Amino acid sequence: MNTPADEGNHNLRYAEYVLGVLDADARAEVAHEVRTSSEAATAVALWQRRLQPLAEEITEATPAPYVWARIHDALQLDAPPQAVPRKRLWDNLALWHWLGLGASAVAVALLLVVALPRRTPPPLPTTTAVAYMASTIKQDNGTTGWTATMDLQHARMVVVPAAPATLAQGRAPELWLIPAGQKPIAVGMISRDQPTTLALAPALLAQLGPTAALAVSVEPPGGSPTGQPTGPVIAKGTIGAAPETGGDKVAGNARKSTERPRV
Amino acid sequence: MAVTRTAEHEELNRLLQQAGRSDQQAFAELYRRTSSKLFGVCLRMLHDRGAAEEVLQEIYITVWNRAASFDEAKASAITWLTTLSRNKAIDRLRQHREELPDDPRTLDEAVDEQPSPAAQAQTSQEHRRLTDCLDALEPQQRSSVREAFFSGATYNELATRCQVPLGTMKSWIRRSLMQLRTCLDS
């Protein structure tokens, strides 16, 4: 027989569950009750209504764009990985052509400086996502062949030639993404004399990060017939967060379990 | 302000219902509008970006699979989503308990200050009512409740953090919860 005190205590368990102070076993018990008893479900819902408003105080933080790409992949959605593309400076092809004239990492840095103050809409005060990544793709002789800038928000990459080596007649450069310890993934054909914009599929977007590399191989004009590089690799580059993009952390830190930012 | 908030909440209810009917565009839009909030919840509890990203991914996969069970008569979409997020983050904390760092913070350091007046102006009527009731508690007890809510720590962890016996922590929190119920339901 339940005394009023027991009932009070029992009800408190639902409050404790909602507050989050129960250990794993007690928590699992209440979760089970919620699924099997409508009374328990109602009691828990009531406590949620009482306590949940505290969550309004929690500061928002923008997740990195690859999180959505991973969700998109895991659920095998067919909608585009980004719902609302916006027209911005990035879309100005003339700028990219102009950049191509003297393209180098300096030019990419310049673009970022030019582009950032115009980012619209203004980011939320606590925006922490990495918006851009960049890579300098160097040839074996040490000179930069291309620079690549990745706009994660809009799932695309612009590859600007700097001083790529001459290729044999009837051969073309193809860009590959190589995740650490994995096979190369074709990104697309690029040009030796003008910037190329490439769309990044969600599967590709999800792999972008400091452990992945970009490489350029020499292929037939239509691209490698096998889906893997067939010709020699003439340039390689690592991927880093583009500088000064308003993100507080590069993605390279994102997965370190030792990092415990106070929020 | 209240009108905007209500309109935004209704829009989220609609998006979640549409996601429940497998509308991918609505789901993408729901993510766009709510992921920063839910990521904030995860980061606050897990203190680790990588772990918070994994949990956020789990959350939205669950949202997609369970959206059909959302009933706006029971809770608003944003409450449904934050509840789900806190639950997932707490489950994660319990699974990886051994990896929790020894947290040297004392309660005074750990507990968030009251929101600034500006932030407070943007919170709901329900939030103001709750903080009024929290304000009526003893300072230590109020701190314990807030720390529990935001950190997802167990009684044991809270007691260690505050350097009080487990029994003391339990009675602080239980008494606070009872007082809060009386205050909020009056």
Side-chain angles (χ1 to χ4, degrees), chain A residues 16 20 50 52 56-57 128, chain B residues 83 94 124 127 146 155 185:
Chain A
E16 291 170 326
R50 290 184 187 116
Q52 203 63 265
E56 288 174 31
E57 291 176 25
T128 51
Chain B
T83 301
R94 298 294 182 272
S124 67
H127 177 265
R146 291 177 64 89
Y155 274 134
D185 294 356

Side-chain angles (χ1 to χ4, degrees), chain A residues 49-90:
Chain A
R49 201 173 306 162
R50 290 184 187 116
L51 298 178
Q52 203 63 265
L54 265 185
E56 288 174 31
E57 291 176 25
I58 294 172
T59 312
E60 297 190 357
T62 308
Y66 53 72
V67 178
W68 171 248
R70 287 171 189 165
I71 293 166
H72 192 273
D73 261 16
L75 293 174
Q76 300 183 309
L77 304 180
D78 17 79
Q82 286 302 326
V84 220
R86 274 187 292 266
K87 241 343 198 192
R88 304 178 325 180
L89 187 64
W90 181 279

Side-chain angles (χ1 to χ4, degrees), chain B residues 135-149:
Chain B
D135 284 345
L137 302 176
E138 297 289 324
Q140 269 180 321
Q141 303 185 4
R142 175 170 63 237
S143 299
S144 310
V145 170
R146 291 177 64 89
E147 173 69 0
F149 183 88

Side-chain angles (χ1 to χ4, degrees), chain A residues 194-231:
Chain A
Q194 58 181 349
T196 311
T197 305
L198 300 161
L200 299 172
L204 253 167
L205 202 60
Q207 297 285 357
L208 287 183
T211 57
L214 291 175
V216 176
S217 73
V218 181
E219 303 294 340
S224 160
T226 65
Q228 285 295 301
T230 57

